[in-house]
Structures are given as C-alpha cells and as structure tokens.
Amino acid sequence: MNKKTLSERDICTKFITPAIEKSGWDKLTQLLEEVSFTDGKIYVRGKLTARGARKRADYILYYKPNIPIAIVEAKDNKHSVRAGIQQALDYARILDIPCVFSSNGDGFVFHDRTATNGNIETELDINSFPTPEELWQKYKKYKGIETLEAERVVAQDYYFDGSGRSPRYYQQIAVNRTVEAITKGQDRILLVMATGTGKTYTAFQIIHRLWKSGKKKRILFLADRNALIDQTRRGDFKHFKDKMTVVKHRMIDKSYEVYLALYQGLSGADEEANAYKQFSPEFFDLIVIDECHRGSAKEDSAWREILTYFKKATHIGLTATPKETNEVSNSEYFGEPLYTYSLKQGIDDGFLAPYRVVRVNLNVDAEGWRPERGKTDKDGNEVEDRVYNRKDFDRNLVIEERTQAVARKLTEFLKGYDRFAKTIVFCTDIDHAERMRSALSNLNSDLVAQNYKYIMQITGDNDEGKRELDNFINPEERFPVIATTSELMTTGVDAQTCKVIVLDAEIKSMTKFKQIVGRGTRINEEFGKMYFTILDFRNVTDLFADPDFDGDPIRIKPVAEDTDLSYIVDEEENDTSLIVDEISGEEIQIKPEIRQPEPQTSTDRINEPRQKVYVNGVDVSILISREMYFDNDGKPITTSLKDHTKELIKGKYASLDDFLNKWNNSDKKESIIKELEEQGVLVEALRDAVNREVDLFDLICHVAFDQPPLTRKERANNVKKRDYFTKYGKEARKVLESLLDKYADEGVTNIESMDILKVKPLTDFGSPMEIIKQFGSKAKYLKAIKELEQELYKSGA
C-alpha cells in the first residue's frame, strides 16, 4: 500500500486509530475523533448571518468523560510526522491538555508539556503509543495531583442526565481546575465567565462532583435576587432533588445537604434577623457565591459577614465582571481568577452573539443646554440659569423633546428592522423609564392598541411590570416586546432573545456596562437570535476604549441628523464586500436568518425620588456622531483613519516600489487584501472615507504614498483604449471584456475567482469548461487573467 496516495482520513482509519486502540484506549469512552470544540464565529451583515468554521481536533483522548489528557493532530503521509505539532499545541493550550501528539501514519511525535528535563519532544514508532495509565500519570503531574485522595476526587464522574448534554470546553476547564484546586487545599476561588456562558451549569457540575465524591457534604449557594434563586432551583440544580432546599422566611431546616439562599434571606439589620447564625460556623463545607461582584465584594458589607461567619468552608465566587476599586475588590478576597472566559472569547468561539453599535448624538447632549432669560419649567417656576449637560438630563432636568427624540429614533430603527424584536431601554431612573414608556406608546400606538403589553415599564416599583418579566424573557411569549427599565434588568437574568439594547442612561461603571451588554449576548438559534444591536444615545460605548473591555463590536455606525434608522440595517445588508472566516480563511456565504420574537430578563432596586425640573419647548435634534474605528486589539483608533492606515502600510511596505512589486508579483490580490486586514487595515471603512469606486490598490497608493487614485472604471477604460485584447480569439476577447466590466463594477478579487464564470453575463458564453476551452486550457485561462491584471495596473499608481 502506498501511503502517499491516502487521504488524511484514510491515514487516521488505517493507521492512527488502530495504533491508539492497540495501546488500550477504549474507542467508545476514551477516544473521540474529529472533535469540534467551538460553534464557529457568527458573521453578520444587515439582518443576515452565517457561521464560520469550528475549531476541530482530529483526536481528543479522555481518561474519563470530560477529563481530556491528550490531543492528536493527524496529517496525510505527504506531510512529515511533525507537521501537525504546532496546531496541536495551540489547541492543547486552549483546552488545557498536557500531552500533545502529531502523526502522519508512520509514527508519532510526542510533545510532553510536563517535561522539565529537556526531553520535551520525542519520536515514537507507530506501535508505541502510550497507554491511558501512562498519560494519566502525566496529567496528574501537570495538575499537581499528588495524593490518592486527591486523585479519587479529581476522577469523580460528571453528572449526566441522559439527554446527551455535556459541558463546553471552557466549562470543562473551569470545573476541572476548580475541583483540582480544592483537592490541593485552595479555599478561595474566583471564576470569571462572561454573561451567557453557563456559570450556573458550571457551578452545578463542580458542586455535584465534590458532593458525590464526599469531599464536600453540605453546600450553600448564595445569590442576591429571587430570580437567580428561582432559575437555579428550576434549572440544573433540580437534579439534587430531595437533597436540596430553598431557605425562605428565615426558616432553617438542617436536614438538607444543598441549600439555596438569598443573602437578604440570611442576614438583616439586627442580630435577630441574622438567620445564618442558626447554623454552626462549621455547618457548610462549600459556599458558592453567584454574581459575587455585588454584595460580597465589599469588605464591610453585611453580606460579607455571612462569608466571614462560615470562613472554614471553601468559597467559590462566580461573576462575569469582577469588581476592583479602592473600596471594593473581588480578587483581594478570592485571589486572582482561577479561570477566565471572556466576552471576546465567547464571540470568537461562536457561543455568544456578536453585536453592532449605532451611536446617536443629540445636539443638547453634545453642546449642552442653557435656558433663555426668563425660561420657566412646566410648573411656571423660573429655571436656574446655567449650562445643563448630559449628566443633568433626566436626573436633575427633564427635557420632554429629548425623550421624544430618543423614542422616535428607536421606533424608526425597529420599523426598519423588526417591530417585534425584544428590546430593553435602559433609563436613568424609574421616572425616566415611565416617561419613555409613554413616549414609545404614543409612537407605536397601532401595536399598543392591539396589545397594551407591547411596551411595558419593568422597574422595581412597578408590580404590573415585574409580573411581565418572565413573559419578556420567555422566547415563546410574544409580549412584552419593549421593556423600559432602570436597574432591574441590568444583571442576573437569562435574556435569550433580546435583540436590541438602548442606552439612554449615564453609565460610567465598567462592571455595569459589561452586565448590560451581557443582556444581549445569549444565542437562541431556534428563535433566530444570532446577534444584537446597541443603540447608544449617551456615548456609553466610549467604554470600549477601556482596557478592561474585551468584546469587540462587529460594527460601530455613527448617524447624522438626516439618517433614517429604518434603513440602517438594510444598507449594511447590501454591502457586497468579502467576509473571510478567521479560522478557515474561507469566504463566508451570508444567508437569511429565521424571523421570530425574542426575550430578556432581570431585577431592580427602587430609586429614591428626587426633585427634578421638567421643561419643554426645547429644540432637540440629531448631530453627526464622531467616527469610531477599532484596531486589531479592539482598541479605538485615536488618530484619523487615513493617518492610522498610512502608518500600518508604511510599516509593511517601505516605499511605493516595494508595494508595487508585491502587488504585481502576487498570484492572487485577495491574499494581499487579507494580509492587510489581518494587520489592522480597515479596508471597508477606508473605502467609505475615500471613494467606494476605487479598489484597494488605489486606496493604498493614495493614502500611504499620496498618489492620485483612479476609479475601477477609469482603469478598465485605459485597458480598452490600449486594444489589449487583439491577441485573443473572438470568443476569448468577449470573455475578457466581460471580466473587465466585472472588475469595473466589483473589483479585482471577483475576477480572480473561478466562480465568476458561473454568473451573468459570463454564463452567456457557455459553461466554465466551455469558456476555459476558448483559451486552450485552464492554465492558459489563468495566465490570461494574470496578464489582464498586469494591464489594469500597468500605469502604476
């Protein structure tokens, strides 16, 4: 058998899999092939979406289910035995796996991440793959598992409910690291996982394994909102059945093993209200603190007293947003995070929804508002003469026209996008949420007349609204559609189908900002929720510039006064520029999304009433928002777009000649475009800023080297004037002329693709094979395309 003729899959089937099985690996429980461990990033254009490639390992080997200890990357036999090692190492880093192998069917290269004596990589023959026990010893060394007791706990099975559900790779890492840390005596642990990534499921698996192994016998799960406790009880924790109880009305029953409780339900202002003291300080072995960035982060809080009282227990803090200020610190109490899974990672992996940002600046926000002499408020009192700014609006001073302007732009957007897209409007306070509900109701009177629950105020003081919270977050429920809120829905509620988030409140806290963004990050493919949109009326998205923010938007769109938001998504959808998948490098084909309703969730504190001044008769209009672009690291570009691009290009090409040489000698111009985009050149933004009728060649020559740009049509006409096509036959000339017209319309990358032969008007000349025959062969056709490109750029810049 000639191995060189076999495909990679054949090499796996005939050589690699048998070799691993021969070493004692169980194919059913320990040996998984072609394991996809991400879902594929979601790409968005207008209302349309498509997924990119998943990250896929050829083999992952498990000592027990969800305890991965080795990864094997396979290549066909035309490659060397070492060819897959770098890719395997990258995946091993992501998956927290110590033993890494590469194979081409002749043998294996073993990269041992536990090695300290210099023998980090060794070659093994095809019959010498290590046994499960040998690699388990490597895993224990890698994880620092030194005792039989620690090994027993670490090897404890996960909970399986028979549905086939298993942890995602990052949940698996968080669970395994936590259990391993606890077996080594660590008693303060912090897990940071972005909203929507399954913190409660992760906590359940940690608790179940520790409880089942007998390592932790009595467990307390603490939260600070009833909605969180109810979700937890009805969700994954239901598997604890009669071993679990919810502490209510400060009534303590010590016969259970797993307790769910509110902080507020265990503590109070006076000693008698401190129900937690009915337990002995040694009663609990493990306490899990959900959303620990809130009460428990503060050293002098009443809630911290609970943790201090049960200080002998192991404490695990869960949060999407660890809080670090001079007065409040999660890391000071828990230590540095044992594991972090960020919003950016979740979006890149395709587990979280990407989002666009539409920034709307109002004139009174940007310029401030000063009352004219003698201006009175709605009660007839003279308004204090000073300049009021964005911080004042809706907190100290209410301008009715401003509320109307925000409501009008949101309504406009929804009419162009989807009037039944679940939407949360974050307002300054309850009064603001009330007025916003009223303004939106008037602007959407047709739908409100059909069902008054189309728009609901959901705030801490509004019982009717709070009763609709579950309906709002339920994907099956059509109403409410729009929720106006202040604090109630900022955190801690599972909002699977929220598609629009409106920011009309001053938000300076990064923690709060991340929590609000998290209201939209969940994906629900069944109901068509693949991404979401943020409408920002207060420049809150300036917080993207903060180094603590780590989830880049797919697009930031500033709008001018005359921008009709009802068309903004359609404009994006009509963009025909190439989208390239970050994993596979393949072009992404965008397809229509499923249309349906969506949900959202949360909880709220009642704000103290404050004196406000209410005015009307103020001119409020939309200003042009400042342009906002992001570099490759997700940080805002502070220089002009052209200066930023010039700096990047000159960092790659020292002179115009260097660039011309690379361009003219490149087989495919698309590779140069991709290279520049990877370097951080914002090609589409640059086209918008310079001229969409010029191609990348002219953009670069103009921006970086000050050359006058020619449009694609001008370049095409120059070729036609030179009678370049006379050397070809009649039919071949017609093909090249059509390709030249395609270049003028769409750019150079389109004529480089063989797919161009499958579209009009090229199909008028026959099938792709018939067209190629006009040139003699495929090689000659490709040579003709290369020469056509040389003619297009013959005049240099």
Side-chain angles (χ1 to χ4, degrees):
M1 181 188 300
N2 183 359
K3 283 186 184 178
K4 303 293 183 191
T5 64
L6 297 178
S7 68
E8 181 183 299
R9 191 83 307 258
D10 287 337
I11 291 291
C12 290
T13 303
K14 297 178 185 297
F15 298 99
I16 299 176
T17 302
I20 297 173
E21 284 188 88
K22 185 180 175 184
S23 292
W25 294 85
D26 188 322
K27 192 171 183 179
L28 295 177
T29 61
Q30 294 182 304
L31 172 59
L32 292 186
E33 296 187 52
E34 298 189 276
V35 184
S36 293
F37 57 90
T38 68
D39 273 2
K41 185 174 182 176
I42 296 168
Y43 294 87
V44 182
R45 178 159 285 161
K47 302 186 190 82
L48 308 180
T49 62
R51 279 197 184 269
R54 297 179 172 194
K55 288 181 179 174
R56 182 185 62 82
D58 290 322
Y59 296 84
I60 297 181
L61 307 184
Y62 297 82
Y63 184 68
K64 297 189 78 174
N66 294 303
I67 303 178
I69 62 176
I71 189 166
V72 183
E73 186 62 28
K75 296 294 179 185
D76 64 40
N77 202 250
K78 297 186 188 76
H79 291 81
S80 77
V81 71
R82 298 177 181 276
I85 201 69
Q86 289 192 159
Q87 184 177 347
L89 281 168
D90 184 44
Y91 287 172
R93 174 189 58 80
I94 295 169
L95 299 172
D96 201 20
I97 292 175
C99 301
V100 185
F101 296 86
S102 172
S103 179
N104 65 351
D106 289 340
F108 297 92
V109 169
F110 175 28
H111 184 106
D112 182 0
R113 298 178 73 199
T114 72
T116 55
N117 61 358
N119 294 323
I120 198 164
E121 268 185 19
T122 53
E123 281 199 44
L124 308 173
D125 67 50
I126 196 67
N127 295 313
S128 300
F129 194 83
T131 65
E133 195 56 41
E134 286 172 331
L135 293 190
W136 176 241
Q137 297 305 318
K138 296 283 187 186
Y139 182 88
K140 289 193 294 181
K141 180 181 177 183
Y142 179 70
K143 295 289 191 173
I145 301 164
E146 298 175 348
T147 67
L148 288 174
E149 171 63 13
E151 182 177 358
R152 183 186 67 80
V153 176
V154 166
Q156 173 62 45
D157 289 336
Y158 276 67
Y159 179 83
F160 295 100
D161 61 7
S163 68
R165 181 186 184 187
S166 61
R168 293 170 173 170
Y169 82 87
Y170 61 85
Q171 294 169 335
Q172 192 175 265
I173 294 171
V175 172
N176 291 341
R177 283 192 185 179
T178 302
V179 171
E180 290 153 6
I182 289 172
T183 63
K184 290 182 281 186
Q186 189 170 331
D187 58 6
R188 298 290 180 269
I189 292 167
L190 179 63
L191 295 176
V192 178
M193 297 171 66
T195 300
T197 56
K199 290 190 292 295
T200 308
Y201 177 66
T202 302
F204 166 73
Q205 289 288 3
I206 292 168
I207 293 169
H208 185 272
R209 290 179 67 199
L210 292 169
W211 174 68
K212 200 71 177 172
S213 69
K215 180 69 176 176
K216 302 293 180 184
K217 295 183 173 66
R218 293 199 189 101
I219 295 101
L220 172 63
F221 183 91
L222 273 177
D224 74 339
R225 299 192 177 183
N226 275 316
L228 293 173
I229 292 293
D230 290 341
Q231 280 180 30
T232 303
R233 176 181 57 81
R234 295 195 308 263
D236 298 302
F237 277 58
K238 68 178 179 289
H239 301 299
F240 286 120
K241 299 178 180 174
D242 59 356
K243 303 294 184 183
M244 177 181 69
T245 187
V246 176
V247 177
K248 294 181 179 177
H249 312 301
R250 305 184 190 276
M251 302 294 291
I252 304 299
D253 182 341
K254 299 178 186 176
S255 63
Y256 293 90
E257 295 174 54
V258 178
Y259 294 76
L260 308 182
L262 287 172
Y263 279 112
Q264 303 93 313
L266 292 181
S267 64
D270 55 64
E271 192 65 23
E272 289 182 7
N274 288 326
Y276 67 87
K277 291 189 176 178
Q278 295 180 45
F279 296 105
S280 69
E282 296 80 22
F283 186 85
F284 291 111
D285 305 307
L286 174 66
I287 300 178
V288 176
I289 305 98
D290 196 19
E291 304 291 358
C292 69
H293 62 277
R294 293 206 286 267
S296 61
K298 204 166 185 178
E299 190 172 358
D300 60 354
S301 71
W303 298 347
R304 180 71 76 85
E305 289 180 10
I306 299 174
L307 302 185
T308 303
Y309 182 78
F310 297 116
K311 63 185 176 184
K312 292 183 180 178
T314 297
H315 296 174
I316 301 173
L318 306 175
T319 183
T321 51
K323 185 174 284 191
E324 299 298 324
T325 69
N326 291 334
E327 296 78 31
V328 176
S329 173
N330 284 123
S331 63
E332 186 179 320
Y333 183 77
F334 291 103
E336 291 302 310
L338 184 66
Y339 183 62
T340 297
Y341 188 72
S342 69
L343 173 62
K344 185 181 189 315
Q345 287 171 283
I347 292 173
D348 288 345
D349 286 343
F351 296 128
L352 295 180
Y355 58 98
R356 71 167 62 83
V357 176
V358 179
R359 292 167 62 104
V360 186
N361 273 9
L362 304 173
N363 62 334
V364 291
D365 292 352
E367 300 164 356
W369 176 74
R370 183 177 179 180
E372 62 269 23
R373 185 187 296 274
K375 175 71 176 177
T376 58
D377 65 15
K378 291 181 70 176
D379 293 329
N381 301 312
E382 189 166 336
V383 179
E384 180 187 351
D385 182 15
R386 68 176 179 88
V387 176
Y388 296 86
N389 56 37
R390 206 172 56 207
K391 291 179 182 177
D392 293 304
F393 299 145
D394 299 300
R395 185 168 295 277
N396 307 313
L397 180 94
V398 173
I399 298 176
E400 287 190 350
E401 287 79 6
R402 190 191 177 285
T403 307
Q404 293 294 328
V406 173
R408 186 175 67 253
K409 296 310 277 187
L410 169 58
T411 301
E412 196 175 87
F413 176 80
L414 291 176
K415 283 182 176 178
Y417 174 57
D418 176 4
R419 295 189 75 187
F420 284 90
K422 291 286 178 99
T423 300
I424 308 176
V425 186
F426 287 99
C427 300
T428 297
D429 56 20
I430 290 171
D431 168 68
H432 187 196
E434 268 180 14
R435 290 183 289 101
M436 186 61 70
R437 188 207 64 80
S438 180
L440 287 166
S441 295
N442 288 334
L443 290 165
N444 294 273
S445 56
D446 55 335
L447 294 179
V448 173
Q450 293 175 31
N451 191 319
Y452 75 93
K453 292 182 181 179
Y454 176 74
I455 302 166
M456 294 292 289
Q457 173 195 339
I458 303 180
T459 51
D461 71 327
N462 190 293
D463 291 338
E464 292 81 6
K466 283 194 291 186
R467 281 195 289 271
E468 291 300 321
L469 185 54
D470 284 345
N471 289 332
F472 183 78
I473 65 177
N474 184 350
E476 304 284 350
E477 294 291 339
R478 193 172 182 85
F479 299 99
V481 174
I482 302 174
T484 66
T485 190
S486 55
E487 293 291 329
L488 182 64
M489 302 177 76
T490 58
T491 184
V493 185
D494 186 10
Q496 296 174 34
T497 55
C498 173
K499 286 187 176 179
V500 182
I501 289 174
V502 180
L503 302 175
D504 194 25
E506 290 292 300
I507 299 166
K508 298 301 181 186
S509 159
M510 178 57 70
T511 297
K512 187 174 179 180
F513 178 53
K514 283 185 173 182
Q515 290 287 342
I516 286 174
V517 171
R519 297 313 95 214
T521 54
R522 286 176 174 82
I523 292 168
N524 188 317
E525 297 199 37
E526 181 185 353
F527 286 85
K529 164 62 187 302
M530 303 293 285
Y531 64 93
F532 65 106
T533 300
I534 296 175
L535 295 184
D536 180 12
F537 290 89
R538 302 259 184 166
N539 284 0
V540 177
T541 49
D542 282 345
L543 286 169
F544 289 145
D546 192 300
D548 287 340
F549 195 83
D550 59 8
D552 315 339
I554 50 176
R555 183 190 188 204
I556 291 193
K557 172 73 174 176
V559 299
E561 182 173 356
D562 58 352
T563 303
D564 185 342
L565 294 194
S566 64
Y567 295 112
I568 200 164
V569 175
D570 291 334
E571 286 175 9
E572 185 181 318
E573 198 168 298
N574 292 330
D575 184 358
T576 58
S577 60
L578 195 68
I579 298 179
V580 179
D581 181 32
E582 295 171 8
I583 302 298
S584 67
E586 301 285 327
E587 180 180 352
I588 293 293
Q589 299 294 329
I590 299 285
K591 57 190 177 187
E593 70 165 356
I594 304 164
R595 273 295 192 87
Q596 274 179 358
E598 30 274 348
Q600 236 296 306
T601 351
S602 225
T603 9
D604 193 349
R605 305 184 189 95
I606 299 175
N607 292 335
E608 290 297 319
R610 59 172 69 89
Q611 292 299 114
K612 294 184 184 179
V613 176
Y614 295 80
V615 298
N616 54 20
V618 179
D619 173 36
V620 177
S621 58
I622 311 297
L623 292 178
I624 296 175
S625 295
R626 63 184 177 86
E627 294 283 347
M628 196 171 186
Y629 300 104
F630 287 75
D631 63 21
N632 269 9
D633 297 321
K635 306 305 177 192
I637 296 165
T638 53
T639 59
S640 75
L641 180 63
K642 288 186 182 179
D643 287 344
H644 174 74
T645 305
K646 186 172 188 175
E647 185 181 332
L648 288 176
I649 294 170
K650 288 208 162 180
K652 188 164 186 64
Y653 304 109
S655 66
L656 176 59
D657 287 341
D658 284 346
F659 171 67
L660 293 176
N661 187 50
K662 177 67 181 283
W663 184 271
N664 290 325
N665 290 320
S666 172
D667 287 335
K668 277 189 175 285
K669 305 300 182 272
E670 184 181 340
S671 63
I672 297 179
I673 295 172
K674 185 180 177 187
E675 202 174 87
L676 288 167
E677 286 179 331
E678 287 173 351
Q679 194 179 344
V681 174
L682 304 172
V683 174
E684 290 310 306
L686 203 60
R687 282 197 174 107
D688 287 335
V690 179
N691 184 344
R692 293 205 66 85
E693 299 304 312
V694 304
D695 68 16
L696 183 65
F697 175 85
D698 283 282
L699 282 174
I700 290 172
C701 291
H702 172 64
V703 171
F705 304 110
D706 301 318
Q707 301 296 309
L710 296 178
T711 65
R712 291 190 298 271
K713 192 164 285 187
E714 287 170 333
R715 286 195 174 278
N717 287 337
N718 286 343
V719 175
K720 290 176 181 177
K721 289 174 189 173
R722 289 196 289 268
D723 289 330
Y724 162 70
F725 300 118
T726 52
K727 67 184 205 175
Y728 293 98
K730 181 180 177 183
E731 294 305 315
R733 278 203 306 272
K734 288 180 181 177
V735 170
L736 290 172
E737 285 168 354
S738 292
L739 288 172
L740 198 57
D741 290 337
K742 279 288 184 186
Y743 161 80
D745 290 338
E746 300 171 7
V748 70
T749 57
N750 287 285
I751 68 170
E752 291 181 334
S753 170
M754 297 296 288
D755 289 339
I756 197 75
L757 300 181
K758 300 175 185 176
V759 299
K760 285 273 192 183
L762 278 304
T763 50
D764 295 341
F765 305 122
S767 69
M769 288 305 299
E770 288 170 334
I771 292 172
I772 287 169
K773 279 182 183 177
Q774 298 296 332
F775 293 84
S777 67
K778 183 178 179 180
K780 288 181 179 178
Y781 169 78
L782 293 174
K783 184 183 178 187
I785 298 301
K786 178 76 174 171
E787 289 176 352
L788 175 59
E789 288 181 356
Q790 289 169 351
E791 284 297 314
L792 280 167
Y793 303 109
K794 199 171 193 177
S795 58

